[in-house]
């Protein structure tokens, strides 16, 4: 009998401890959702957490990441959570249709214009970026950084060994890849495990081939996906595939960067976050690797911006707002961009805070023609972007430009891309 009483008593004590400790943990928790798990990305995320913790040491951060570059897996998980009424406190979302059409127009986000007003951010953020996160006069997120998609990265030693000058035109590019292939070097590292890197490659080729006028018309639904510009870009892409590694389906974007670092491939086309990956791997710009714009796109900056917003049912809205204040702070933007290879969004941050790569991108952003990224939520709605990725996954196998253009055109129609014309 005595033993039974002791057991019941112990169980009660343990239960009480559990309830209280879980209450106290959830009371101080802040859940941040993102896909930043690759090298460079995760250091950038950690820098944000560290900046937040200095200001709010009592707060425990739950790092809810779902691996898969460009949110290829995270976006589906987020969707389930949002629809189930179980949102994180704040989540990574690209400025543009990915934020506005997916989450704002459907009523899942809280406007944070008051916070913008209080922080005086309007004066220190580029107008074009504010436009990407605004809807019907309200602002819905805080941009952390700006990335550029149209960059070509190369192994410096291979280029030096074969006396190769970074190509600025597609003609030069094809001469370079032919030369490398003839020397037994894999010219281009491609990753297609998560499909989006093929879309990424396509958008950079399209920008160069079609030019900014057509590019903008296409993403606004004012030009056809069966246009000769799209077909021509697809044919070029098909030609480029001949010079890529044959294990692309098993590689993610960082794996392709690693091939370049290891000298197993000479080049890769990837966004500015590749700089974060190289830095995290202690590679030296100008010695181990270097970069140039994707051929034919030297005058363009294909833009995407990582932002954080406030979901309507965020479990800890006050803490989430504190997080957003951190995201908008100069300190966090400098620290995160230094790790991630992006540029800060605030225009009051001096380039002196950064090394030569980021400095060059800051100047490029200020001087070049800006185009929204198709593959990274800045140009087309999520549903269409996802289908575009699927089509490029298929294109890699079938390599049929006509069929692909036809399917993309049908998808654009089905998703209502042409509806406002
Ligand atoms: C982009 C994102 C970048 C980087 C990249 C690779 O969509 O904006 O910050 O994370 O994906 O995962």
């Amino acid at each position: 009998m005595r033993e039974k009483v002791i057991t019941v008593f112990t169980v009660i004590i343990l239960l009480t401890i559990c309830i209280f400790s879980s209450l106290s943990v959830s009371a101080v928790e802040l859940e941040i959702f993102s896909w930043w798990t690759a090298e460079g990305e995760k250091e950038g995320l950690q820098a944000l957490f560290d900046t937040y913790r200095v200001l709010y040491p009592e707060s425990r951060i739950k790092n809810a990441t779902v691996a898969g570059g460009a949110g290829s897996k995270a976006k589906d998980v987020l969707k389930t959570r949002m629809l189930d009424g179980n949102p994180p406190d704040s989540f990574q979302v690209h400025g543009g249709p990915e934020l506005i059409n997916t989450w704002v127009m459907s009523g899942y986000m809280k406007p944070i214009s008051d916070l913008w007003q209080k922080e005086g951010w309007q004066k220190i953020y580029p107008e074009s970026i504010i436009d990407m996160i605004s809807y019907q006069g309200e602002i819905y997120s805080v941009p952390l950084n700006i990335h550029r998609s149209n960059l070509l990265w190369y192994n410096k030693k291979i280029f030096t060994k074969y006396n190769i000058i970074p190509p600025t035109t597609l003609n030069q590019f094809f001469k370079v890849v032919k030369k490398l292939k003839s020397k037994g070097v894999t010219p281009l590292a491609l990753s297609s495990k998560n499909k989006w890197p093929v879309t990424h490659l396509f958008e950079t080729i399209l920008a160069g081939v079609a030019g900014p006028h057509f590019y903008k018309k296409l993403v606004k639904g004012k030009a056809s996906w069966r246009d000769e510009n799209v077909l021509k870009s697809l044919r070029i892409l098909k030609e480029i595939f001949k010079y890529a590694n044959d294990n692309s389906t098993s590689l993610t974007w960082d794996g392709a960067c690693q091939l370049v670092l290891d000298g197993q491939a000479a080049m890769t086309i990837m966004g500015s976050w590749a700089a974060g990956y190289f830095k995290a791997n202690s590679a030296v710009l100008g010695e181990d690797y270097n970069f140039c714009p994707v051929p034919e796109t030297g005058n363009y900056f294909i833009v995407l911006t990582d932002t954080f917003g406030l979901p309507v049912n965020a479990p800890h809205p006050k803490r989430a707002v504190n997080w957003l204040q951190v995201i908008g702070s100069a300190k966090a933007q400098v620290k995160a961009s230094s790790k991630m290879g992006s540029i800060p969004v605030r225009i009051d941050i001096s380039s002196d805070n950064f090394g030569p790569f980021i400095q060059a991108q800051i100047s490029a952003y200020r001087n070049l023609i800006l185009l929204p990224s198709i593959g990274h939520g800045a140009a087309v709605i999520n549903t269409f972007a996802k289908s575009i990725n699927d089509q490029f996954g298929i294109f890699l196998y079938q390599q049929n430009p006509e069929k692909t253009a036809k399917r993309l055109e049908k998808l654009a129609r089905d998703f209502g891309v042409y509806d406002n014309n």
Side-chain angles (χ1 to χ4, degrees):
M1 179 64 191
R2 198 168 160 252
E3 260 180 15
K4 246 191 179 173
V5 170
I6 289 178
T7 317
V8 170
F9 189 64
T10 318
V11 168
I12 291 174
I13 289 185
L14 284 176
L15 274 177
T16 317
I17 291 174
C18 280
I19 290 169
F20 272 99
S21 61
S22 76
L23 273 182
S24 63
V25 164
S26 70
V28 295
E29 199 162 78
L30 170 84
E31 189 184 15
I32 302 300
F33 184 95
S34 78
W35 59 83
W36 282 327
T37 57
E39 286 175 76
E41 296 178 334
K42 66 173 183 236
E43 285 80 1
L45 181 61
Q46 189 56 47
L48 294 175
F49 290 164
D50 293 346
T51 314
Y52 177 85
R53 275 196 195 109
V54 170
L55 297 169
Y56 308 99
E58 75 291 358
S59 199
R60 206 177 77 103
I61 299 173
K62 188 170 173 193
N63 181 12
T65 46
V66 179
S72 42
K73 304 246 163 38
K75 287 178 199 169
D76 288 340
V77 176
L78 179 70
K79 186 171 167 193
T80 310
R81 292 191 53 174
M82 294 287 271
L83 300 188
D84 281 356
N86 172 32
D89 288 306
S90 187
F91 60 88
Q92 175 190 4
V93 60
H94 289 124
E98 186 177 313
L99 167 68
I100 302 301
N101 299 61
T102 319
W103 299 122
V104 174
M105 288 165 75
S106 52
Y108 283 86
M109 303 302 280
K110 269 202 178 140
I112 51 165
S113 311
D114 290 354
L115 178 65
W116 271 75
Q117 183 97 37
K118 192 174 139 214
E119 298 286 335
W121 284 333
Q122 259 107 338
K123 284 177 237 124
I124 47 170
Y125 275 78
E127 230 178 272
S128 60
I129 296 287
I130 300 180
D131 282 352
M132 291 168 88
I133 54 166
S134 301
Y135 181 63
Q136 294 186 339
E138 297 277 9
I139 304 183
Y140 282 91
S141 72
V142 183
L144 169 75
N145 64 7
I146 294 169
H147 272 299
R148 182 178 184 186
S149 86
N150 54 317
L151 292 171
L152 183 151
W153 304 88
Y154 57 90
N155 179 300
K156 185 73 197 326
K157 286 170 188 135
I158 296 181
F159 266 38
T160 308
K161 180 170 175 191
Y162 297 110
N163 210 3
I164 292 170
I165 295 165
T168 56
T169 64
L170 280 167
N171 262 345
Q172 289 170 5
F173 175 79
F174 280 111
K175 278 189 188 143
V176 168
V177 289
K178 275 177 197 148
K179 179 170 184 180
L180 287 164
K181 202 172 178 176
S182 74
K183 305 283 180 194
V185 179
T186 302
L188 190 80
L190 178 68
S191 58
S192 62
K193 190 172 174 196
N194 292 326
K195 299 178 211 156
W196 66 268
V198 190
T199 309
H200 185 115
L201 182 55
F202 168 77
E203 77 178 22
T204 66
I205 300 298
L206 176 75
V209 165
H213 183 64
F214 178 84
Y215 185 104
K216 284 184 192 162
K217 268 175 62 180
L218 182 71
V219 298
K220 281 193 183 135
K222 293 183 189 327
S224 166
W225 281 82
R226 289 176 81 176
D227 188 279
E228 186 49 36
N229 280 303
V230 176
L231 280 161
K232 190 171 170 201
S233 305
L234 290 169
R235 287 185 205 115
I236 291 169
L237 205 57
K238 182 175 169 180
E239 192 58 24
I240 292 177
F241 290 157
K242 287 187 192 156
Y243 299 94
N245 48 314
D246 44 24
N247 65 340
S248 82
T249 49
S250 63
L251 284 187
T252 52
W253 70 267
D254 43 334
C257 290
Q258 190 59 44
L259 286 189
V260 175
L261 268 194
D262 290 345
Q264 288 181 44
M267 299 178 273
T268 193
I269 287 176
M270 192 36 63
S272 41
W273 46 92
Y277 181 84
F278 292 139
K279 188 174 177 185
N281 280 280
S282 309
V284 181
L285 178 70
E287 278 179 35
D288 301 313
Y289 72 99
N290 218 331
F291 72 95
C292 61
V294 170
E296 315 280 352
T297 71
N299 292 328
Y300 318 136
F301 188 118
I302 305 185
V303 183
L304 55 135
T305 172
D306 290 308
T307 81
F308 283 85
L310 183 61
V312 166
N313 293 320
H316 311 99
K318 268 197 189 149
R319 288 181 193 284
V321 168
N322 292 340
W323 167 257
L324 297 179
Q325 283 170 313
V326 168
I327 293 296
S329 71
K331 199 176 232 168
Q333 296 203 357
V334 169
K335 282 190 176 175
S337 275
S338 308
K339 303 279 183 195
M340 292 174 155
S342 49
I343 64 173
V345 193
R346 290 174 62 133
I347 54 177
D348 60 340
I349 295 175
S350 157
S351 312
D352 298 346
N353 289 292
F354 304 102
F357 170 73
I358 294 177
Q359 285 189 356
Q361 298 320 308
I362 292 176
S363 140
Y365 180 77
R366 288 184 188 151
N367 296 306
L368 302 182
I369 296 171
L370 306 178
L371 297 171
S373 164
I374 297 170
H376 302 274
V380 299
I381 52 171
N382 255 2
T383 41
F384 185 38
K386 204 172 157 167
S387 302
I388 294 178
N389 287 342
D390 289 340
Q391 285 313 314
F392 277 107
I394 297 170
F395 180 62
L396 188 59
Y397 283 105
Q398 295 187 340
Q399 307 212 1
N400 187 324
E402 286 71 25
K403 262 194 190 163
T404 302
K406 203 169 161 188
R407 287 200 204 111
L408 290 169
E409 154 84 5
K410 179 169 184 320
L411 285 163
R413 212 169 280 293
D414 291 352
F415 286 118
V417 173
Y418 301 121
D419 284 0
N420 297 327
N421 299 311

